[in-house]
Amino acid sequence: MRLALFITCFNDTLFPETGASVVRVLRRLGHEVEFPYDQVCCGQMHFNSGYRRDAVPLVRSFVEAFEGYDAVIVPSGSCTAMVREHSATVARTAGGTLPEGVARVAPKVYELSEFLVDVLGVTDVGAYFPHSVAYHPTCHSLRMLRVGDRPTRLLRAVRGLTLVDLPRAEECCGFGGTFAVKNAPTSAAMGDDKVSAVLESGAQVLCAGDNSCLTHIGGLVSRQHAGVRVLHLADILARTDALPDVPVYRPGLPGASDLVVGHAPGPEATR
């Protein structure tokens, strides 16, 4: 099976380690994954903002980059939903052969937990992560992809991990891409509610399948110095006895050895 990784703009820009984590997990399971260097944005921001014609070249580029693969793995429910649920609408705007191209490629695009559980048929990926974790189901993965309990089944199989319930888990965190920019006060208020739920859970780590939502929540957590880290599902599943924890982000010291994953713990966590 020829596999490809679509890293998404958000991960490529802010969380490249998450892409490396996806590759680590798949290699541990005996699969190689290719990274097509001509991949670009899926067009979600353009589509959600009403600029559907501007999304056409991006959708066309996605089809051209990934058409030759058997499966495309995406560490984002948000971008997976764009490709699977909305690319066809964009393609119809363009006409020509693009709709047929989208029809061929879109069904082969999987959010990470879908690919692991549904395609590979595994829940235990050999991970080790000795921390208490709460899982936040992001809106696109929950309401559009309907990934259900796939992420929590993967987390429950991680050795050493204690999965705790997140109160009011299905409430949106308030990020919503451009929503956070256009409606900042409302977005921040919704995020504060999510942070309250995270603190109520008592978890050391908040996990989700979208780094975009985790950035929003993590920013609010860090301002409260709450000592809770946020981590993408892939970054937890990649951990093993030999790679037991995630290097802590040290602001102001970027470099190859400083993996920008999660957020620096507050004063309470460093005591």
Side-chain angles (χ1 to χ4, degrees):
M1 185 162 50
R2 191 180 180 204
L3 309 181
L5 171 65
F6 176 51
I7 188 60
T8 82
C9 303
F10 213 94
N11 289 321
D12 185 39
T13 305
L14 298 175
F15 297 92
E17 174 63 11
T18 295
S21 292
V22 174
V23 174
R24 287 191 188 102
V25 172
L26 292 174
R27 282 181 173 172
R28 192 188 307 149
L29 297 172
H31 300 276
E32 287 296 329
V33 57
E34 299 179 34
F35 180 82
Y37 282 96
D38 51 350
Q39 63 180 270
V40 295
C41 172
C42 65
Q44 181 183 187
M45 184 177 68
H46 308 70
F47 183 84
N48 289 351
S49 300
Y51 297 98
R52 296 188 176 184
R53 288 197 175 277
D54 291 331
V56 168
L58 301 173
V59 170
R60 179 176 289 111
S61 178
F62 189 96
V63 170
E64 292 172 353
F66 293 104
E67 190 159 25
Y69 292 92
D70 299 311
V72 182
I73 298 97
V74 188
S76 164
S78 179
C79 296
T80 303
M82 171 61 202
V83 175
R84 287 224 305 255
E85 304 297 328
H86 299 311
S87 287
T89 301
V90 175
R92 284 194 293 273
T93 301
T97 61
L98 189 56
E100 288 79 8
V102 169
R104 289 191 299 272
V105 175
K108 299 187 293 185
V109 177
Y110 299 92
E111 183 269 343
L112 176 62
S113 71
E114 291 180 320
F115 183 75
L116 293 173
V117 175
D118 296 348
V119 180
L120 297 186
V122 299
T123 52
D124 186 348
V125 300
Y128 172 67
F129 191 71
H131 302 286
S132 60
V133 176
Y135 174 72
H136 166 59
T138 63
C139 290
H140 282 89
S141 65
L142 176 71
R143 288 177 249 280
M144 295 195 73
L145 299 180
R146 300 185 185 281
V147 301
D149 66 351
R150 295 175 182 85
T152 52
R153 289 166 64 187
L154 290 161
L155 290 170
R156 286 194 177 94
V158 175
R159 287 185 300 110
L161 188 151
T162 302
L163 184 64
V164 301
D165 291 332
L166 178 66
R168 305 173 296 282
E170 295 187 359
E171 290 183 4
C172 174
C173 70
F175 178 66
T178 56
F179 177 84
V181 177
K182 297 174 180 174
N183 304 278
T186 303
S187 174
M190 295 171 70
D192 283 338
D193 287 346
K194 181 62 65 175
V195 171
S196 296
V198 174
L199 299 182
E200 187 178 334
S201 77
Q204 296 171 306
V205 176
L206 178 69
C207 169
D210 280 272
N211 273 327
S212 52
C213 298
L214 289 177
T215 298
H216 179 60
I217 301 168
L220 293 166
V221 167
S222 68
R223 283 162 177 76
Q224 296 187 25
H225 300 291
V228 178
R229 289 187 296 166
V230 297
L231 284 174
H232 192 281
L233 175 65
D235 294 320
I236 291 178
L237 298 182
R239 310 272 70 86
T240 64
D241 298 292
L243 191 63
D245 208 340
V246 181
V248 173
Y249 171 51
R250 288 175 287 170
L253 295 174
S257 61
D258 300 307
L259 303 180
V260 185
V261 178
H263 295 266
E268 294 297 327
T270 57
R271 291 173 184 170

